[in-house]
Amino acid sequence: MLDFFTIFSKSGLVLWYYAFQDVKGNFTDPVNAFIKSVILQERGGSAAFVHGTVQMKYMQDNEFELIFVVGYQKILTLSYVDKLIDDVHRSFRDRYRQQLLDGTLAMLTADFDFKSTFAHLLKNAEHVTVLPKQMKGFSESKKSQKTIESLKIKKTEPTSKKNDRRNSEIEKPKAAEVIDPPKEEVNPDEIARRIEEFKRKKTPKATKTEKKQKKGKTGKQMRIWDQGGSAKDAAVLDYSNPNDTSSTNGHNGRANGGITEEERGWIQGSQHIQELVVENDSEAETAASPDVAPSNRKKSTGIFNLFSNLVGSKALSKDDLANVLKAMSEHLIGKNVAAEIAEKMCDSVSAKLEGKVLGTFETIASTVKQSLQESLVQILTPKRRVDILRDVLEAQRVSRPYVIAFCGVNGVGKSTNLAKISFWLMKNGFRVLIAACDTFRAGAVEQLRTHEARLNSLYPDGDQPKCRLYEKGYGKDAAHIAMQAINAAKEQGYDIVMIDTAGRMQDNEPLMRSLSKLVTVNSPDLVLFVGEALVGNEAVDQLQKFNQALADHSNMVNPHCIDGIVLTKFDTIDDKVGAAISMTYTTGQPIVFVGTGQSYPDLRSLNPKAVVNALLK
Amino acid sequence: MMDSWLDFLLYDDGVRVAAATILVLVLTAVLYLYATSKPPRSSVLLVGIPGAGKTHLFAQLVSGETKETVTSLRENEAIYNTSADSSGKTKQLSLVDVPGSSSIRDQILDNYKHKAKGLIYVIDGENASRNIKDVAAFLHRLLTDDVISKFHPDILIACNKQDLLQSKSKRVIQGLLENELNTVRKTQNAQLSDEDGTGDATRGANVFLGKKSESFKFEHLNKFHVKFCECSGKPGEEKENIDISEVKDWINSL
């Protein structure tokens, strides 16, 4: 009843396969999908995977670097599959041990004639029917063993007698304590002295008021309130600059949209987004570690190989790994990785290393650390090409604006990072339209207007591209404003539309529905989830619920979910960079930008190796 | 005289200890040098985006067998014996098939970059225009990589899967690549930077490929020798005489 059964090496060569009625094409697609989503995304902890109608179960052999995958229709619940995989694994390994040890060339040229053995094992497995668990009869239950007497509750209450005994035991020490403090000799002088003290303590006011009177007559001072005042104070409270002619509401006298000279220097910066630098004790470590990692993977040199033949090599067992992985998991949690993500990562690493044979001079801890490092870098490295400028050029070519939408919970830095990204895009010569779709929060539109003014003064109208704010005030429907903004951008030749949405909690259903409507109606090119690096376990919940909401409420066959993550407030966390892992693991989407401060040049791209080094230090 | 020297050596503790430590140091130095001696560059790397046909090509080059393949998770490495050249000598090269998945290829490439004598960039001829952005982005990344620029191995761009009906010829693919690289070299440079040297040491984003004033052409690359060829791992209906012989010839010429 199986669709297929394949045995392939981790390096991609299929050593043997069985396909139902020999239809070869049946297994490559599901297996490739399986590899992409389970192994490459480090979800190796669970042993099952569903692709369309096919349910797959698998097992990794880490000693010879093989994977055994079986696929069958989801609707069939086959009970013998687990046992079958085990049997096949053992039999294949024992039979072809020599070829597998000999290396790649042997694996290519060897003929794995496993068909008959497999057919035999399959028949055995199918015939061993697992009987459903028989229910226990009454005679076997515990209740029938008890006597009737013990079940009766008697009025004389034998159990309360026990309580009395216990109480009396407790009371005895108490009585002893009461007796213990020695009796003092009552002295009449002592008594008088104590009465005096007591009286003195009772009247503290007298002393205090004496002290006050000694200071002199100060009287009660009238309290001055910050927000209060009368017309007499008007002169004191007037902060307006009589010489200022260009100030508008909210700007306190600085000309040019509020840009200082120092900030004007930001235009001179490079068009590049610099790579992220994580706080490190030695900068050389980040450069040196790529060399360190490969040398561990190299096979040991000639002389050491001699020794390896003398000393026996050990295969790793689950228990060996459990201790080390527990320590690693706690270390990761200490670095702000969400608890369940740390657990899943360690399960995946354990599945990858179980049964692996260690080299002679490798310790378990170093192997585990090496493997964990590779997995973490793998998770942080993007799975698809991340090149926003290229995509914008593509959209320019077909004369339509490139639309980026920002979503996230309250207070993570959406508007600030929107401005930073606009600054970067404008530096690369694009014209940006900012759509103010946050129609709820007081001051949201004004905030964006300030950013627009500052960006425009940094890149003035005349010779260089400009930035414009599209807003319709407060209280309106965000999706509608976004649609109008995109149309306006198309008409007026803006290259990019940045949609700023209101912050919302992931549990708030009406707001999530409204966000989903905005995304569905306007179909942006990029939906960026903005998350702060300070978040801990919440990150997993936020991302899951946002993704779920975007998928559920969209009414489309292929819903547009989160495409990328902007990680903000990275400068506040020192080296506790675990939020990056939590977020990328939950969604599988890459971290596109990292925000490292509140001014415009504080935008970086993610450097997986640096982050992982900081994480594992 | 000799006796007195030996007596001096054997009976004086301090000298004995000194001699022993010197001996140990010399031995350790010899072992260390032996262990870390770098082998000369002798690898040929098969790189490309997932689905290009690298593992299949690898199997054919190494053993002549046609095997079913799935997405690789690890590299394949084997010894390849070049055919005898004019003087009758054969060379032994190490052929490495680097997986294409973007999350693991960088790490694995780091292990083999410095040993590469030649680089075979495999492209799926059938899906070339659909995947051109990913293909060009990865090729640009390789060409601007610090280590690869330093050693500048020879590059062969193999247009694979020529047995399929829809697959494009090498001229078409070369045109598509040059077009795309023309744009990519500007956008990639605006993305990353290691100006202050604290970024990832292998990203040479300041390198601008080709000539600034003209659109990109492979012949403008003065460091790299780039050659195009067509190949196919399976016999096809129309182009029956295309196989992997061009690839083999190129490897022999390294």
Side-chain angles (χ1 to χ4, degrees), chain A residues 340-602:
Chain A
E340 51 181 284
I341 305 292
E343 285 302 315
K344 282 192 202 160
M345 288 247 34
C346 290
D347 286 340
S348 167
V349 169
S350 156
K352 250 204 297 189
L353 288 179
E354 198 184 326
K356 189 172 167 136
V357 173
L358 286 178
T360 18
F361 290 91
E362 289 170 10
T363 59
I364 297 182
S366 70
T367 321
V368 168
K369 192 164 178 198
Q370 170 82 20
S371 177
L372 191 63
Q373 184 189 23
E374 283 171 7
S375 309
L376 288 169
V377 176
Q378 195 176 309
I379 291 195
L380 285 177
T381 317
K383 276 158 211 50
R384 60 180 172 93
R385 187 183 50 96
V386 173
D387 190 349
I388 295 188
L389 294 175
R390 179 72 189 87
D391 295 335
V392 174
L393 285 170
E394 186 62 32
Q396 234 181 11
R397 200 173 58 88
V398 292
S399 337
R400 66 169 179 84
Y402 189 80
V403 183
I404 306 179
F406 290 80
C407 66
V409 302
N410 312 68
V412 291
K414 288 183 291 298
S415 305
T416 311
N417 283 277
L418 183 149
K420 284 191 232 168
I421 296 173
S422 305
F423 177 71
W424 171 62
L425 289 167
M426 285 168 68
K427 212 194 288 182
N428 279 297
F430 295 116
R431 299 177 73 211
V432 177
L433 182 73
I434 302 178
C437 295
D438 183 352
T439 54
F440 172 69
R441 203 197 77 206
V445 177
E446 278 71 27
Q447 178 181 15
L448 290 175
R449 189 168 290 133
T450 311
H451 280 305
E452 179 206 2
R454 285 160 66 97
L455 286 171
N456 269 332
S457 79
L458 282 172
Y459 288 105
D461 284 0
D463 36 62
Q464 292 228 329
K466 60 181 181 184
C467 155
R468 200 194 131 196
L469 174 68
Y470 188 93
E471 53 95 359
K472 290 286 184 203
Y474 294 95
K476 308 276 176 29
D477 178 29
H480 190 59
I481 298 180
M483 189 162 63
Q484 290 177 324
I486 296 174
N487 288 335
K490 203 184 286 191
E491 284 165 25
Q492 297 169 25
Y494 285 93
D495 305 310
I496 303 166
V497 179
M498 312 274 274
I499 302 180
D500 183 26
T501 63
R504 61 203 73 209
M505 289 306 290
Q506 66 269 23
D507 300 326
N508 193 330
E509 220 208 278
L511 291 181
M512 296 309 289
R513 218 173 308 136
S514 119
L515 176 68
S516 171
K517 178 178 154 206
L518 191 152
V519 169
T520 315
V521 163
N522 297 299
S523 50
D525 295 292
L526 201 61
V527 175
L528 291 178
F529 176 83
V530 184
E532 54 186 12
L534 297 153
V535 76
N537 291 322
E538 260 289 281
V540 177
D541 193 51
Q542 281 176 10
L543 273 165
Q544 270 175 357
K545 295 235 174 84
F546 264 82
N547 247 340
Q548 197 64 43
L550 285 176
D552 288 345
H553 301 307
S554 82
N555 295 333
M556 293 203 300
V557 177
N558 273 342
H560 193 143
C561 292
I562 291 176
D563 293 321
I565 299 170
V566 180
L567 193 62
T568 63
K569 308 187 189 169
F570 206 81
D571 51 322
T572 57
I573 54 170
D574 289 341
D575 63 344
K576 295 207 186 326
V577 295
I581 302 278
S582 315
M583 291 192 198
T584 36
Y585 189 93
T586 316
T587 51
Q589 301 297 338
I591 291 183
V592 182
F593 296 109
V594 179
T596 52
Q598 300 209 28
S599 47
Y600 293 150
D602 292 326

Side-chain angles (χ1 to χ4, degrees), chain B residues 72-198:
Chain B
S72 309
L73 289 164
R74 294 240 194 290
E75 68 275 21
N76 275 313
E77 189 174 359
I79 304 287
Y80 179 82
N81 292 312
T82 58
S83 46
D85 59 6
S86 46
S87 55
K89 280 197 296 185
T90 61
K91 280 182 288 186
Q92 268 208 344
L93 294 169
S94 151
L95 194 63
V96 182
D97 160 37
V98 179
S101 310
S102 40
S103 17
I104 44 179
R105 67 182 176 216
D106 291 334
Q107 292 188 71
I108 298 184
L109 209 52
D110 285 340
N111 298 342
Y112 293 99
K113 272 193 293 206
H114 51 276
K115 290 193 265 188
K117 193 167 180 201
L119 214 61
I120 304 181
Y121 192 88
V122 186
I123 299 181
D124 179 358
E126 194 196 9
N127 287 323
S129 50
R130 220 170 305 155
N131 296 334
I132 193 68
K133 293 205 199 86
D134 297 332
V135 169
F138 186 34
L139 185 59
H140 182 271
R141 163 111 170 65
L142 287 174
L143 292 174
T144 53
D145 185 270
D146 280 345
V147 175
I148 295 184
S149 294
K150 190 166 106 179
F151 293 121
H152 48 90
D154 292 341
I155 300 183
L156 173 73
I157 300 189
C159 308
N160 201 7
K161 305 200 188 174
Q162 292 294 324
D163 51 294
L164 297 172
L165 210 55
Q166 307 268 26
S167 77
K168 317 230 170 352
S169 73
K170 62 183 177 187
R171 263 183 307 110
V172 173
I173 293 184
Q174 179 167 357
L176 285 170
L177 266 180
E178 285 176 346
N179 238 345
E180 184 64 25
L181 278 169
N182 197 22
T183 327
V184 167
R185 61 184 176 167
K186 283 178 253 166
T187 59
Q188 287 281 30
N189 278 350
Q191 297 271 35
L192 317 157
S193 155
D194 59 352
E195 285 175 351
D196 32 14
T198 46

